[in-house]
Amino acid sequence: MLYDYKNIEGKWQKKWDELNAFRAKQDFTLPKYYALVEFPYPSGQGLHVGHPRPYTALDIVSRKKRMQGYNVLFPMGWDAFGLPTENYAIKNKIHPRIVTERNVARFKSQLKALGLSFDWSREINTTSPEYYKWTQWIFIQLFKKGLAYKKEMAVNFCTSCKVVLANEEVVNGVCERCGSEVIRKVKSQWMLKITEYADRLISDLDGLDFIERVKTQQKNWIGKSKGAEIDFETTANDKLRVYTTRCDTLFGATYMVIAPEHELIVKWKDLLQNYDEIEAYKLQASKKSDFERTELVKEKTGVELKGVRAINPATGKEIPIFISDYVLSGYGTGAIMAVPAHDERDWEFAKKFNLPIIEVVAGGNVEEAAFVDVETGKLVNSGFLNGLEVEAAKAEMIKFLESKGIGKEKVNFKLRDWVFSRQRYWGEPIPLVKCEKCGWVAIPESELPVKLPDVDSYEPTENGESPLSLMTDWVNCKCPQCGGKAERETDTMPQWAGSSWYFLRYCDPDNDKELASAEALKYWMPVDWYNGGMEHTTLHLLYSRFWSKFLYDIDIVPCKEPYLKRTSHGMILGENGEKMSKSRGNVINPDDIINDYGADTMRLYEMFIGDFEQSAPWNTQSIKGCKRFLERVYNLLDMVEGTGFTKELEKDLHKLIKKVTNDIDTMKFNTAIAAMMGTLNTIYDNGKITKDELLLFAKLLSPFAPHIAEEINSRLGNSDIISLAQWPEYDESKTIDDTVEMPVQINGKVRCVMQIPREASKEDILEIVKKDDKISSGIEGKTIVKEIVVPGKIINIVVK
RNA sequence: GCGGGUGUGGCGGAACUGGCAGACGCGCCAGACUUAGGAUCUGGUGGCACCCCCGUGCAGGUUCAAGUCCUGUCACCCGCACCA
């Protein structure tokens, strides 16, 4: 029978639509399952073959769960605000809304062609006012709780284009578009206090089923460290506060380093003899990103502050103060005590500037390299700390600092607050006004959404303000509090805003009274399985956990954590093994693949390509194997004889049910497919299959290749769709063989493989084995030193 | 630099708690069918001096037994806070 995939796929996609087969049911008494994939940014290039990998994976999970009787929510939407759309709109003079509509339509038709079982009735779009109304609402709640605040922050500013650039748009320190110099300009920006949730974002990971690398990456990103803050007296008669994780080494602090942006520099201006030199250095530093500044390979630079010195509180000695860009203003206090003997960066700096290196923890050779081991060494040259181990010394030092009132224990985080302002058009307007009298005031909730006004040009203004700032009619408004003159905030939100809560909206997407009803949230949340890219671990995933926790705190969401399980797929690389990108010219278009091979083959190949969590290069040649497999499956229709289950296939089919069921739960889609291929080969060897056996096989295949499974089901005479049929169950006793194949080794080398009865004892096994010619000749005339029998696994006879 | 990962045939990849390395598929080789084959079917396929031996990035170690555990080392990939 000819496998006419085009007809088959079109037919069943239409049928599913007509039946609303994949709509989540509104019956909240059913057991629920919420499967979520990251919603895409609808780019102008359309889908590429990387997108369907995670979608197909969770589609398989969803389809299986549906067949297992769950009420499944598997939604899809569009994360459509963002830079590329805006830049495209500017370049081509088309409204970003139009661009977005176009891209969404393209993406949607491409996704539909894959036969993914999304509940399209719940489709959402972050750029629709009905949606961003609630994004703004959440921001207002954050603002009211004091979690949104203004801060002076540096932005990348292109001196030629006169626009604020995203980090990505800055390549090697110059503007990506025009190649001009990029400087760091300080602007007042809205910030969200994610740091207030830092501790909970770490500790609540414990109960979650996230893959380990996601957990560790989040923990390290938040970067909790226990240390101390210490105040150093200065000769300028004030205090310089530092943060250190190694307060035990205070006796070895031979100089200090402060960030170029440190406020004391300006304060000390009159005392500093080389202020011009310092200013010049500050200018240089302002051009570098944090990333460039902390690179260890680069030679350390810095300038001594001549005229002010600090006093080491442990030794009482005066020590010099430097500015250097390897100290960041955003971490700790923006100042460090430098202990060159026990910190690599300090050591390098000290060598370069010829500063004293004093060993305070014994165990290394501090003239050769910094000794950073905290496990083995004991304190030396450190007065009252001498002889103590590092941990004990830390505790003693803290006692000392507290008793003197010059320092205390302090927990620090690497995590920084979230810069929430963008000087861009295509984002959610920040729903605040600045009143001359009242200061920053939130727009009343009844007036939400604050809609994005139509502007003539989306190009940012000369001074780096948002394009919205030019719309004076829109900007000038009345204060909702006092009715006086006020101005709207013209910055918009970052793209991350809409994606920080979208999974909540899916629960109740048409609600215009609240972001979602408490009832719907209580039923559907938390998400049972969330899959997404590893690159979202430290930003999107963390941001959305933060917003969820906040919404939990204000009693909107019923759960502390939004996602029970988080997994991550590997990237699909180009055929040359490099990342797929337009510029590399190695992008594969899924439309072509679906056209040439069919959606089922495409889906199967995406899953068969390799370990789901690992990246794998695309290979159009290899798709053939999946196509052949499906053709052979389809041809089983011609081999059907009789009904019921036969002895020949029973054991294989029970094993297969077990394998496929378990493999889907553990993301081993590739081996599930391999097992189905293996069973198919057995069926062909067998030469025939019964109707019931084929139906069973089709059910197992249906989550992976749903169209062909439906067609087989229908051709076997069933009128119900297989997508909602019951998932097969296996009988454990029917998966166990009577005999096991066991390799027999002599001195660890395999000599033969024997069939051994499953229940045989160790003695019986050895007796059987020794009768074998290869084994008996191998041990003849030698002394048996040891006999290892691992039932069901291996036999190893060690001889001398 | 910091953080996270990955190294297995010609290729993509299998291998559960240490137990036959290479499942399954691609490619390749041979045969069948055919006017034809870039279709289909059947068989074979890690290397080699082919019943031995060697083989999981490299060098050591633990063990009856190591892709898997330990120590060291090399290479590559991803992220780094205004790309999404």
Side-chain angles (χ1 to χ4, degrees):
Chain A
M1 204 176 292
L2 178 79
Y3 170 44
D4 180 1
Y5 61 85
K6 279 190 184 160
N7 260 320
I8 292 172
E9 288 171 3
K11 174 171 139 194
W12 291 104
Q13 283 169 17
K14 205 174 142 216
K15 183 85 175 172
W16 293 329
D17 269 351
E18 283 166 13
L19 293 172
N20 290 324
F22 307 125
R23 281 209 187 165
K25 298 189 187 80
Q26 271 307 106
D27 183 349
F28 291 173
T29 62
L30 298 167
K32 69 98 182 178
Y33 198 86
Y34 187 174
L36 184 66
V37 287
E38 286 171 347
F39 60 163
Y41 176 74
S43 70
Q45 286 91 47
L47 226 55
H48 72 79
V49 291
H51 286 105
R53 195 184 196 193
Y55 301 163
T56 307
L58 281 231
D59 188 47
I60 290 166
V61 170
S62 297
R63 284 174 174 275
K64 177 182 147 254
K65 285 284 176 188
R66 253 181 234 114
M67 292 173 80
Q68 287 178 319
Y70 287 88
N71 184 18
V72 172
L73 174 56
F74 184 44
M76 185 36 89
W78 316 105
D79 188 16
F81 275 130
L83 208 54
T85 301
E86 183 164 346
N87 287 344
Y88 181 88
I90 292 168
K91 202 171 164 194
N92 298 285
K93 306 216 181 311
I94 309 173
H95 197 288
R97 198 187 330 107
I98 311 279
V99 180
T100 299
E101 271 170 24
R102 225 190 256 165
N103 292 348
V104 164
R106 171 107 189 272
F107 263 68
K108 192 171 174 180
S109 77
Q110 288 182 302
L111 289 180
K112 284 222 154 191
L114 281 161
L116 298 162
S117 66
F118 291 126
D119 178 353
W120 286 106
S121 72
R122 291 172 186 255
E123 178 181 351
I124 57 172
N125 184 328
T126 55
T127 65
S128 80
E130 297 76 38
Y131 182 90
Y132 70 66
K133 170 179 177 174
W134 299 106
T135 312
Q136 291 174 333
W137 183 86
I138 296 168
F139 177 83
I140 287 175
Q141 309 314 309
L142 287 160
F143 174 74
K144 285 180 177 167
K145 294 282 176 190
L147 291 167
Y149 66 100
K150 275 250 174 178
K151 190 185 171 188
E152 298 273 300
M153 288 294 292
V155 294
N156 303 308
F157 188 75
C158 174
T159 46
S160 160
C161 305
K162 307 268 183 209
V163 292
V164 174
L165 298 175
N167 286 346
E168 201 195 43
E169 298 174 296
V170 183
V171 180
N172 301 324
V174 300
C175 174
E176 183 185 46
R177 306 177 229 184
C178 69
S180 310
E181 190 190 36
V182 173
I183 59 160
R184 286 163 70 81
K185 192 171 172 171
V186 171
K187 284 191 68 71
S188 171
Q189 314 235 51
W190 284 103
M191 307 284 291
L192 294 185
K193 274 191 202 166
I194 189 172
T195 50
E196 199 135 298
Y197 282 74
D199 245 327
R200 286 164 67 188
L201 287 168
I202 292 180
S203 58
D204 290 348
L205 280 172
D206 283 345
L208 300 174
D209 183 16
F210 285 15
I211 51 173
E212 255 341 283
R213 59 196 166 122
V214 168
K215 283 191 185 183
T216 43
Q217 213 168 298
Q218 286 209 343
K219 278 182 198 161
N220 289 335
W221 181 262
I222 296 168
K224 184 175 181 172
S225 71
K226 231 190 224 172
E229 275 185 355
I230 307 174
D231 289 331
F232 283 60
E233 301 273 346
T234 69
T235 54
N237 249 338
D238 46 19
K239 282 176 184 142
L240 178 54
R241 177 168 290 182
V242 301
Y243 173 76
T244 176
T245 55
R246 292 294 305 275
C247 64
D248 56 300
T249 62
L250 181 56
F251 283 89
T254 52
Y255 65 101
M256 325 255 320
V257 186
I258 65 178
E261 300 85 354
H262 203 284
E263 53 193 19
L264 281 176
I265 297 169
V266 182
K267 196 180 161 200
W268 291 340
K269 187 176 176 180
D270 296 335
L271 297 168
L272 296 171
Q273 297 143 22
N274 57 339
Y275 196 74
D276 289 347
E277 193 189 353
I278 292 163
E279 278 288 288
Y281 186 82
K282 282 174 70 170
L283 184 67
Q284 283 298 314
S286 74
K287 290 177 183 168
K288 294 189 198 169
S289 67
D290 288 357
F291 177 41
E292 289 171 305
R293 285 169 52 163
T294 50
E295 254 181 315
L296 191 65
V297 283
K298 294 228 177 98
E299 213 181 21
K300 295 277 172 292
T301 59
V303 175
E304 185 177 351
L305 301 186
K306 293 192 174 126
V308 181
R309 288 166 82 81
I311 295 141
N312 182 325
T315 62
K317 281 185 187 152
E318 268 188 26
I319 56 176
I321 306 170
F322 286 76
I323 60 169
S324 174
D325 60 12
Y326 81 94
V327 172
L328 304 176
S329 62
Y331 183 68
T333 60
I336 61 159
M337 62 179 213
V339 185
H342 305 288
D343 181 281
E344 284 171 33
R345 290 157 304 179
D346 297 347
W347 189 88
E348 274 189 27
F349 192 90
K351 277 281 167 191
K352 176 158 180 195
F353 289 89
N354 219 0
L355 294 157
I357 299 172
I358 300 174
E359 180 182 59
V360 288
V361 182
N365 180 355
V366 299
E367 282 309 310
E368 291 298 314
F371 178 69
V372 295
D373 188 346
V374 294
E375 303 288 326
T376 56
K378 286 206 167 95
L379 274 284
V380 292
N381 299 324
S382 295
F384 64 96
L385 299 178
N386 281 341
L388 292 175
E389 291 186 356
V390 169
E391 279 312 309
K394 280 183 186 175
E396 279 305 305
M397 178 53 81
I398 291 201
K399 274 189 214 160
F400 168 78
L401 294 170
E402 282 174 353
S403 71
K404 294 264 175 188
I406 55 167
K408 60 177 194 304
E409 194 169 29
K410 166 91 190 194
V411 170
N412 229 339
F413 296 95
K414 275 203 206 110
L415 184 70
R416 312 204 286 259
D417 277 338
W418 177 3
V419 186
F420 203 69
S421 292
R422 298 291 183 276
Q423 293 72 42
R424 285 282 180 164
Y425 174 73
W426 196 229
E428 302 89 344
I430 291 177
L432 297 176
V433 301
K434 189 169 194 180
C435 170
E436 286 169 357
K437 278 188 219 141
C438 315
W440 287 104
V441 179
I443 298 288
E445 289 169 19
S446 59
E447 287 174 30
L448 295 180
V450 176
K451 286 196 187 167
L452 258 183
D454 275 324
V455 296
D456 297 329
S457 160
Y458 322 107
E459 200 97 37
T461 57
E462 287 268 304
N463 56 6
E465 293 298 328
S466 155
L468 296 178
S469 65
L470 296 178
M471 303 205 57
T472 41
D473 286 354
W474 184 79
V475 173
N476 294 322
C477 63
K478 279 182 187 159
C479 170
Q481 210 158 283
C482 70
K485 247 172 98 178
E487 286 188 357
R488 286 184 195 276
E489 171 58 75
T490 60
D491 283 352
T492 52
M493 300 188 198
Q495 173 276 339
W496 309 108
S499 61
S500 289
W501 71 281
Y502 75 112
F503 45 90
L504 301 172
R505 189 64 177 170
Y506 283 137
C507 298
D508 192 10
D510 300 317
N511 197 325
D512 60 357
K513 302 281 182 295
E514 43 198 343
L515 61 86
S517 77
E519 203 191 3
L521 290 174
K522 189 166 182 237
Y523 177 67
W524 288 114
M525 290 298 291
V527 173
D528 292 280
W529 187 339
Y530 187 26
N531 183 82
M534 217 41 216
E535 69 275 20
H536 290 128
T537 304
T538 51
L539 298 179
H540 159 68
L541 198 65
L542 210 56
Y543 290 152
S544 60
R545 288 182 61 221
F546 161 46
W547 274 33
S548 265
K549 285 184 178 301
F550 169 70
L551 291 169
Y552 171 79
D553 289 348
I554 61 167
D555 291 327
I556 301 295
V557 175
C559 44
K560 280 186 189 169
E561 282 287 336
Y563 321 118
L564 287 182
K565 174 173 178 161
R566 168 74 178 190
T567 59
S568 200
H569 57 273
M571 230 188 304
I572 303 251
L573 306 170
E575 302 215 54
N576 54 2
E578 290 174 27
K579 196 171 168 174
M580 235 182 242
S581 74
K582 212 172 155 188
S583 58
R584 289 191 179 89
N586 59 355
V587 175
I588 307 278
N589 185 340
D591 298 346
D592 299 338
I593 305 297
I594 291 173
N595 191 48
D596 296 348
Y597 299 90
D600 279 338
T601 298
M602 166 89 180
R603 293 169 57 111
L604 209 62
Y605 178 62
E606 293 254 351
M607 292 298 101
F608 187 61
I609 195 166
D611 183 336
F612 181 63
E613 299 198 70
Q614 232 61 61
S615 58
W618 182 266
N619 187 326
T620 301
Q621 186 76 256
S622 284
I623 299 171
K624 279 186 192 165
C626 294
K627 178 81 186 295
R628 277 181 203 150
F629 168 69
L630 290 181
E631 279 166 350
R632 275 156 61 85
V633 169
Y634 198 65
N635 286 333
L636 289 177
L637 281 167
D638 296 330
M639 288 164 57
V640 173
E641 263 178 52
T643 56
F645 292 88
T646 59
K647 256 223 163 66
E648 289 80 10
L649 292 179
E650 191 180 45
K651 200 151 270 180
D652 283 288
L653 289 174
H654 278 275
K655 279 185 191 168
L656 187 64
I657 299 169
K658 184 178 181 180
K659 176 84 180 148
V660 172
T661 307
N662 292 341
D663 279 359
I664 291 174
D665 292 336
T666 52
M667 298 187 285
K668 302 242 164 228
F669 308 105
N670 53 337
T671 52
I673 294 166
M676 288 191 275
M677 287 172 167
T679 302
L680 182 73
N681 291 341
T682 308
I683 295 169
Y684 267 77
D685 290 344
N686 188 41
K688 62 174 196 244
I689 187 168
T690 68
K691 190 178 157 181
D692 294 297
E693 287 164 345
L694 177 54
L695 183 61
L696 171 61
F697 191 86
K699 281 182 184 172
L700 293 177
L701 180 64
S702 71
F704 298 83
H707 311 87
I708 195 174
E710 291 286 6
E711 185 68 16
I712 290 170
N713 178 57
S714 138
R715 284 189 184 260
L716 288 174
N718 297 312
S719 53
D720 291 345
I721 59 169
I722 201 169
S723 296
L724 299 176
Q726 205 188 342
W727 187 252
E729 301 210 354
Y730 61 92
D731 181 344
E732 182 71 42
S733 68
K734 288 182 179 161
T735 64
I736 299 166
D737 294 309
D738 304 331
T739 59
V740 247
E741 212 171 63
M742 285 179 71
V744 187
Q745 300 179 331
I746 295 176
N747 289 345
K749 303 277 180 199
V750 178
R751 293 299 139 176
C752 67
V753 179
M754 297 183 74
Q755 289 291 332
I756 308 284
R758 178 168 288 279
E759 303 300 327
S761 68
K762 185 178 171 178
E763 288 72 25
D764 293 345
I765 293 174
L766 282 169
E767 205 186 310
I768 301 167
V769 160
K770 284 176 190 167
K771 281 184 194 147
D772 186 272
D773 290 348
K774 284 200 190 106
I775 302 304
S776 57
S777 64
I779 58 178
E780 208 177 81
K782 290 174 180 161
T783 325
I784 294 176
V785 183
K786 206 172 184 180
E787 291 171 329
I788 295 128
V789 178
V790 185
K793 288 274 166 70
I794 206 158
I795 299 139
N796 189 11
I797 301 170
V798 185
V799 295
K800 239 199 249 172

